[in-house]
Amino acid sequence: MLKEYRFQEYFSFDITPYASLAVFEPGELILREGQRVTKLYYLVKGRAKLFATLKNGKVSLFNFYEVPSFLGEMEMLDPEAHTKGVRAHTRCYCIALDLTRCGDRVLNDPRFLRAICLYLGRKAVSNSWHYAQSQSYPLKYRLASYILFTSRDGVYAEPHTEAAEYLGISYRHLLYVLADFCREGILERGPKGYLLRDPQRLQALQDELQE
């Protein structure tokens, strides 16, 4: 497992005795908010959501994790940091590193620290790009991308409040554009969500973001 995903390359010592495979089903918590992190996860298959509950009780979706990603790295580096929640969006396969047994060695490993610095830098650039997109493109393009990204088996069924938070728009604006997509035959509202009737048109809209 470690060879297949080249996990050992992040470390200058043998990490095998401290690593195991962890599988999370859709909707299952990988990291619980406010909980002390005792395991560092490395996502090798699937997709997960990063979220936090605000003081007013609203749950805010911050980002998605895709392969490959570290989960819990900030909390590992700063034990005083408030742990954000991470929930599996699809079935997730992770390499779990037991920090109770090797945390000190990991935090004093120059090769690992360099890898984490590069990873955090790339993540910061990606987050900046997401913010730039939200400021520069009309909602229909960003929503098309979000629908393609989060849909499963041809159905989009993400909570409206969550999608609106992530896209940085109002709930009403989101519903308006979803209704437009339905009128244009791109989506069709069904009992379990929105059916993707014309994914090619969604893809064409998404492609506008990448040109």
Side-chain angles (χ1 to χ4, degrees), residues 38-148:
T38 59
K39 290 184 178 179
L40 176 67
Y41 292 101
Y42 186 63
L43 182 66
V44 296
K45 187 177 181 181
R47 185 181 298 143
K49 296 178 177 181
L50 174 68
F51 68 92
T53 304
L54 307 180
K55 288 183 179 180
N56 61 6
K58 287 178 61 178
V59 175
S60 184
L61 173 63
F62 288 143
N63 214 337
F64 286 89
Y65 287 109
E66 293 187 271
V67 175
S69 290
F70 286 101
L71 312 178
E73 77 286 351
M74 288 301 300
E75 293 81 0
M76 178 196 67
L77 294 170
D78 180 10
E80 300 302 316
H82 180 80
T83 306
K84 301 291 190 299
V86 178
R87 188 184 300 275
H89 182 240
T90 63
R91 178 178 288 179
C92 291
Y93 293 81
C94 301
I95 297 173
L97 194 59
D98 188 352
L99 296 175
T100 63
R101 297 173 58 213
C102 65
D104 287 342
R105 292 189 72 181
V106 168
L107 289 172
N108 287 286
D109 185 348
R111 183 187 294 182
F112 174 75
L113 293 177
R114 181 178 183 276
I116 281 292
C117 286
L118 289 171
Y119 171 76
L120 291 173
R122 289 169 185 149
K123 188 161 75 170
V125 170
S126 176
N127 290 342
S128 297
W129 174 242
H130 170 72
Y131 177 76
Q133 283 184 330
S134 70
Q135 299 297 307
S136 304
Y137 287 88
L139 177 59
K140 67 176 182 178
Y141 299 104
R142 295 184 287 120
L143 181 56
S145 179
Y146 184 79
I147 289 170
L148 287 172

